[in-house]
Amino acid sequence: MYEKLVQFASKQLDLDPSVITPDATFDTLGIDSLDVVEMVMDLESELGIELDMEDQSISNFGELAAFVESKLN
């Protein structure tokens, strides 16, 4: 799932995939909260799942990948 997120984010947010690491925070990559919301909505649509992130504290790509994987199981 992590690699899929890297490809997805690099395409959607126009980022070099090499700068997206599991520990890379959204903030250090210049990704604001609106970008995160849009990315999650697009992921929900693509994966056919609901990703309710209201009670989640997710700040990097590793955490996001783990959260998405937990929803797929």
Side-chain angles (χ1 to χ4, degrees), residues 51-53 56 58 62-72:
L51 300 171
D52 184 9
M53 295 181 56
Q56 302 299 312
I58 296 173
E63 292 171 356
L64 180 59
F67 175 70
V68 172
E69 284 178 7
S70 74
K71 297 298 183 179
L72 291 172

Side-chain angles (χ1 to χ4, degrees), residues 11-56:
K11 202 180 284 187
Q12 183 179 24
L13 302 171
D14 197 30
L15 294 171
D16 181 346
S18 68
V19 301
I20 304 172
T21 64
D23 295 329
T25 65
F26 302 131
D27 190 44
T28 60
L29 294 174
I31 300 171
D32 63 24
S33 59
L34 180 59
D35 291 329
V36 173
V37 168
E38 289 176 354
M39 185 171 55
V40 168
M41 289 173 54
D42 289 345
L43 278 169
E44 288 177 326
S45 178
E46 182 175 318
L47 299 172
I49 60 173
E50 185 174 329
L51 300 171
D52 184 9
M53 295 181 56
E54 275 186 35
D55 298 328
Q56 302 299 312

